[in-house]
């Protein structure tokens, strides 16, 4: 490997406390482009179907891509890929910050973690050298304290620490990995997987560079990207952060409220992004090399919800810990975000689990005896904070909530089904599929990790009538509106998927890919960047094929675990009309029609919803044919 990549994979076996370094095969890497695409190949080929995700046999791949750690404006990402203990499906959890670039600078594009340590450990990767260090003294510490201790021990504030908190140690099924203190690889329970391996953290120090194939062309391509991004269509994201979406989404009737019983929140002004930016924001924060800086660093300076400075909250967190639970106290939401970060919890699943419990309490499905006298009433901010503490430590009712919505509903019986808002066990995010876009409904149903709003793309992007560079490949003309349920939407979603997957397999941030030629990083511009970076002469069509290969392989991973069309369903509530507000009456009516069209567009079997042998041969995935 000469250009664009570090060229090596690091494999650490915690059972035997050994590691080895493997040279990457350039031809094979190019086939998948890297990052989550290559990770899908590794996990499919190395981890048999049916593997218990919390067993020593389970593997984790931490992956970077071609643009990670380069001058490319979206190059601050990494992906953690694994089998989710929450859903039993393929999972990838993206995070930003500086961890991914530093892993690459340390000499490795991929880290594969195997086995289970006898006692708690952490992995220290230091410019090509690897140590498996004892971590008994860190077990029981939160993420913040763990990070502080490791930095003192190594006497280097520049190392990047990705650690779990008490939630991961205690096996909370939606626990997260937190890097650089406040950046979360959150969804699906990677924290519990780390905890099952007695792995407290991975720490990287990297000072090596990445060789560029054609530096002059690379700089020209990056300068073009920076110029185009000056015309970015969603300028409010860098200017105000994702929290700016609170008020507009409520006004449009697309803000999930009270466990998706409503889609607008009367007191949204009390939890608005404007309020956060005006009163609680300390400064903006950016991932490595990012010119957007959409992150926020906030605190609450006194009062009963006093909170130290911490990354966030993002839009998803504000809605999930706020309106979704009927809560309008922004200081409590900021504190809840802090607790999730230090304990290592996914704020989306945590908020959804609390909202589910509140609805079940209201309906008498959970009693005071179940909750040890804690009244789970809508809008009670102090109860929300107490529940986060209990979930992280699996104390009392917290142990019940730590299982996630699907398992809780199964234990409470059929009467709880109406309130169980998840797909394949992954709770829905803060995007309402009935009124925001029917493409979102389709994505929730078919996404390999369950009800996901962002992997591989924000499904609603087509409804904004921006092509993201996909028109030349066949993206259809615009929909009549977000409510349209049609075969045209199914076909369009195929292109939305593949455009997003291109960003993922390159290790980029999807925010930079929304727009059109002249105002975002299109696949065509990515091809220019990657060609100059690697010297491969990559075309946009080649990126599209690699993306399709990756997407199909993730579907095959789930098929091996028993997931077919019959699991591509939406929660019962989503088929009911939104009862009131700006989007009253909106509902999903014909998911099956959209599924038929999507499977056909992908070249999959409409009966099973799985890739056909012909499609897999076309993509060079013969090893995945059963």
């Amino acid at each position: 490997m000469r250009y664009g990549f570090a060229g090596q994979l690091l494999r650490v076996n915690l059972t035997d406390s050994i590691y080895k370094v493997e040279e990457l095969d350039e031809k094979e890497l190019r086939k998948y482009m890297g990052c989550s695409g290559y990770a899908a190949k590794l996990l499919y080929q190395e981890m048999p179907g049916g593997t218990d995700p919390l067993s020593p046999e389970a593997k984790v791949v931490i992956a970077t891509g071609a643009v990670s750690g380069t001058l490319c404006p979206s190059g601050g990402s990494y992906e953690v890929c694994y089998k989710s203990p929450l859903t039993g499906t393929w999972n990838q959890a993206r995070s930003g910050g500086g961890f991914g670039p530093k892993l690459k600078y340390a000499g490795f594009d991929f880290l594969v973690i195997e086995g289970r340590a006898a006692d708690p450990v952490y992995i220290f990767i230091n410019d090509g050298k690897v140590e498996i260090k004892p971590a008994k003294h860190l077990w029981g510490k939160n993420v913040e304290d763990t990070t502080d201790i490791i930095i003192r021990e190594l006497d280097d504030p520049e190392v990047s620490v990705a650690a779990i908190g008490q939630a991961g140690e205690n096996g909370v099924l939606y626990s997260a990995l937190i890097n650089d203190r406040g950046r979360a690889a959150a969804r699906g329970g990677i924290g519990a997987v780390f905890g099952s391996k007695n792995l407290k953290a991975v720490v990287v120090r990297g000072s090596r560079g990445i060789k560029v194939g054609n530096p002059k062309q690379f700089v020209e391509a990056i300068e073009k990207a920076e110029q185009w991004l000056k015309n970015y269509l969603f300028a409010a994201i860098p200017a105000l952060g994702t929290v700016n979406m609170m008020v507009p989404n409520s006004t449009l009737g697309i803000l999930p409220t009270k466990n998706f019983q409503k889609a607008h929140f009367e007191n949204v002004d009390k939890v608005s992004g404007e309020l956060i930016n005006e009163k609680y924001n300390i400064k903006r924060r950016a991932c490595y090399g990012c010119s957007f800086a959409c992150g926020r660093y906030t605190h609450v300076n006194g009062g009963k919800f006093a909170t130290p400075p911490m990354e966030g909250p993002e839009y998803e967190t504000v809605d999930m810990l706020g309106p979704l639970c009927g809560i309008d106290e922004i200081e409590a939401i900021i504190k809840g975000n802090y607790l999730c970060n230090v304990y290592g919890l996914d704020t989306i699943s945590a908020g959804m689990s609390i909202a589910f419990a509140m609805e079940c309490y209201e309906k008498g499905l959970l009693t005071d005896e179940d909750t040890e006298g804690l009244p789970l009433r809508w809008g009670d901010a102090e109860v929300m904070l107490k529940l986060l503490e209990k979930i992280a430590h699996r104390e009392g009712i917290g142990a019940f909530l730590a299982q996630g919505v699907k398992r809780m509903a199964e234990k409470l019986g059929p009467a709880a089904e109406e309130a169980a808002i998840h797909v394949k066990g992954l709770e829905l995010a803060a995007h309402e599929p009935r009124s925001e876009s029917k493409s979102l409904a389709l994505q929730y149903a078919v996404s390999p990790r369950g009800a996901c709003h962002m992997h591989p793309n924000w499904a609603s992007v087509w409804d904004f009538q921006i092509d993201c560079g996909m028109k030349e490949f066949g993206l259809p003309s615009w929909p009549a509106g977000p409510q349209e349920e049609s075969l045209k939407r199914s076909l369009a979603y195929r292109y939305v998927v593949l455009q997003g997957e291109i960003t993922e397999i390159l290790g980029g941030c999807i925010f930079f890919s929304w727009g059109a030629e002249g105002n975002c990083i299109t696949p065509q511009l990515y091809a220019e960047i990657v060609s100059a970076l690697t010297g491969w002469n990559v075309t946009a069509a080649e990126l599209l094929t690699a993306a399709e290969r990756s997407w199909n392989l993730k579907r095959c991973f789930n098929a091996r675990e028993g997931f077919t069309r019959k699991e591509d369903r939406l929660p019962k509530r989503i088929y009911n009309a939104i009862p009131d507000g700006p989007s009253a009456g909106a509902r999903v009516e014909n998911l099956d029609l959209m599924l038929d069209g999507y499977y056909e567009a992908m070249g999959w079997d409409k009966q099973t919803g799985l890739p056909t042998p012909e499609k897999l041969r076309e993509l060079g995935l013969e090893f995945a044919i059963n």
Side-chain angles (χ1 to χ4, degrees):
M1 196 73 60
R2 296 179 62 194
Y3 304 119
F5 295 87
Q8 297 184 122
L9 176 151
L10 172 63
R11 192 180 294 274
V12 176
N13 186 302
L14 297 173
T15 302
D16 300 324
S17 196
I18 59 174
Y19 73 91
K20 68 175 180 178
V21 175
E22 300 172 11
E23 297 295 318
L24 291 169
D25 181 287
E26 187 168 345
K27 186 177 177 183
E28 196 68 4
L29 183 65
R30 181 169 178 173
K31 188 175 173 182
Y32 299 90
M33 287 294 157
C35 205
S36 68
Y38 193 78
K41 165 194 143 56
L42 289 172
L43 287 178
Y44 189 91
Q45 293 187 320
E46 295 188 10
M47 196 167 76
T51 300
D52 179 349
L54 299 179
S55 70
E57 290 73 30
K59 298 190 180 188
V60 174
V61 179
I62 297 181
T64 67
V67 303
S68 302
T70 71
L71 291 175
C72 183
S74 69
S77 300
Y78 74 98
E79 301 261 7
V80 190
C81 303
Y82 60 103
K83 181 180 177 182
S84 165
L86 181 68
T87 63
T89 66
W90 162 269
N91 204 83
Q92 60 186 95
R94 176 202 165 273
S95 184
F99 181 88
K102 288 179 183 177
L103 177 62
K104 204 166 165 182
Y105 297 159
F108 304 106
D109 300 294
F110 301 93
L111 167 62
V112 180
I113 302 167
E114 306 171 342
R116 174 184 291 158
D119 295 303
V121 297
Y122 73 89
I123 299 170
F124 178 36
I125 304 168
N126 179 14
D127 270 340
K129 299 174 184 173
V130 182
E131 295 179 75
I132 302 172
K133 299 174 78 73
K136 273 187 178 179
H137 60 303
L138 301 173
W139 211 249
K141 304 287 187 189
N142 68 33
V143 171
E144 191 75 354
D145 291 341
T146 298
T147 302
D148 284 340
I149 293 169
I150 289 175
I151 285 175
R152 282 200 302 271
E153 284 179 358
L154 300 177
D155 192 24
D156 185 354
E158 296 302 317
V159 296
S160 190
V161 179
I164 63 169
Q166 292 92 331
E169 294 176 9
N170 294 323
V172 177
L173 292 181
Y174 45 86
S175 49
L177 179 69
I178 308 289
N179 63 277
D180 302 307
R181 298 185 184 274
R183 290 283 173 170
R187 305 229 69 192
I190 182 59
V193 177
F194 264 48
S196 75
K197 295 182 175 302
N198 277 325
L199 179 59
K200 183 66 178 177
V202 177
V203 184
V204 291
R205 174 194 282 148
S207 61
R208 303 173 180 182
I210 301 297
K211 291 181 180 177
V212 176
N214 189 323
K216 182 174 181 295
Q217 286 183 8
F218 183 64
V219 169
E220 289 172 353
I222 296 303
E223 286 179 346
K224 181 193 283 189
E226 295 286 8
Q227 285 299 317
W228 284 15
L229 290 170
K230 288 180 179 177
N231 305 316
Y232 188 56
L233 297 177
F234 300 91
I237 292 178
L240 300 172
T242 58
V243 287
N244 85 87
M245 296 159 57
M246 291 298 295
V247 172
N249 282 7
S250 182
T251 303
L252 292 168
I254 60 175
L255 183 74
T257 301
K258 289 187 73 174
N259 201 29
F260 282 80
Q261 294 186 84
K262 302 176 70 174
H264 71 290
F265 188 53
E266 289 81 358
N267 296 332
V268 70
D269 287 342
K270 294 183 177 180
V271 295
S272 70
E274 290 79 359
L275 181 61
I276 292 173
N277 278 297
E278 177 187 332
K279 195 170 177 183
Y280 304 103
N281 188 40
I282 300 171
K283 62 179 179 179
R284 294 165 65 178
R285 293 203 77 184
C287 295
Y288 181 93
C290 176
S291 55
F292 278 6
C294 69
R296 292 295 180 273
Y297 202 60
T298 62
H299 72 151
V300 178
N301 191 20
K304 64 179 180 179
F305 299 124
T307 306
M310 174 55 71
E311 184 104 15
E314 304 288 337
Y315 161 74
E316 301 287 337
T317 302
V318 175
D319 184 39
M320 292 286 125
L321 301 182
L324 194 84
C325 299
I327 291 169
D328 63 3
E329 296 185 69
I330 190 61
E331 293 187 356
I333 295 169
I334 292 172
K335 183 160 189 179
N337 171 74
Y338 171 83
L339 293 178
C340 288
N341 279 350
V342 297
Y343 290 141
L345 282 169
D346 171 15
T347 58
I348 296 176
S349 288
M352 286 291 292
S353 295
I354 292 171
F356 169 81
M358 286 179 167
E359 184 173 344
C360 289
Y361 183 81
E362 181 181 52
K363 292 178 174 175
L365 300 173
L366 284 173
T367 66
D368 286 334
E369 184 179 353
D370 297 320
T371 66
E372 301 164 300
L374 191 66
L376 308 187
R377 297 195 182 96
W378 295 112
D380 193 326
E382 295 193 38
V383 163
M384 178 268 288
L385 295 175
K386 284 179 184 173
L387 287 175
L388 290 176
E389 299 268 6
K390 287 178 175 292
I391 291 168
H393 296 91
R394 294 188 80 109
E395 292 175 354
I397 186 66
F400 184 63
L401 269 67
Q403 306 169 87
V405 166
K406 178 175 181 287
R407 287 172 174 81
M408 285 193 286
E410 288 170 350
K411 291 183 178 175
L412 292 174
E417 184 186 350
E418 168 72 17
I421 313 298
H422 70 88
V423 176
K424 301 183 181 78
L426 190 72
E427 294 80 7
L428 268 66
H431 294 265
E432 172 56 80
R434 289 172 290 186
S435 49
E436 181 179 311
S437 164
K438 294 301 171 57
S439 297
L440 187 60
L442 186 55
Q443 174 151 308
Y444 279 153
V446 304
S447 170
R449 70 176 191 173
C452 175
H453 68 296
M454 285 296 282
H455 285 285
N457 207 341
W458 174 41
S460 307
V461 69
W462 184 55
D463 291 275
F464 281 80
Q465 302 190 0
I466 49 179
D467 65 60
C468 302
M470 297 302 286
K471 225 169 196 176
E472 72 177 65
F473 298 108
L475 179 74
S477 58
W478 313 123
Q483 300 302 319
E484 179 183 320
E485 296 177 5
S486 65
L487 295 176
K488 186 171 80 170
R489 183 174 292 281
S490 303
L491 177 60
Y493 182 63
R494 173 181 186 268
Y495 293 98
V496 170
V497 162
L498 297 181
Q499 181 248 334
E501 193 72 2
I502 286 172
T503 301
E504 302 228 314
I505 61 178
L506 295 178
C509 169
I510 193 65
F511 279 11
F512 292 82
S513 296
W514 296 335
E517 182 176 328
N519 55 40
C520 79
I521 305 181
T522 60
Q524 294 82 354
L525 182 50
Y526 264 132
E528 289 182 38
I529 292 170
V530 175
S531 294
L533 178 63
T534 62
W536 283 350
N537 192 25
V538 172
T539 64
E542 182 179 352
L543 292 180
L544 202 69
T545 300
E548 188 173 11
R549 187 173 291 123
S550 171
W551 190 247
N552 275 262
L553 194 48
K554 292 169 186 174
R555 187 75 177 180
C556 290
F557 183 98
N558 281 355
R560 201 170 55 176
E561 302 297 333
F563 292 88
T564 65
R565 175 175 182 145
K566 68 181 187 302
E567 280 76 32
D568 290 346
R569 312 310 303 168
L570 294 169
K572 189 176 177 183
R573 179 163 291 163
I574 303 304
Y575 296 102
N576 299 330
I578 294 173
D580 54 26
S583 57
R587 67 189 178 98
V588 173
E589 297 184 58
N590 203 340
L591 176 65
D592 280 327
L593 171 75
M594 292 192 289
L595 287 176
D596 282 344
Y598 169 68
Y599 298 145
E600 186 172 0
M602 293 302 298
W604 297 354
D605 185 301
K606 283 202 282 189
Q607 298 300 315
T608 64
L610 300 179
T612 62
E614 292 75 20
K615 171 55 68 175
L616 295 176
R617 287 191 193 95
E618 175 191 320
L619 295 171
L621 297 174
E622 288 84 355
F623 63 84
I625 297 173
N626 290 313

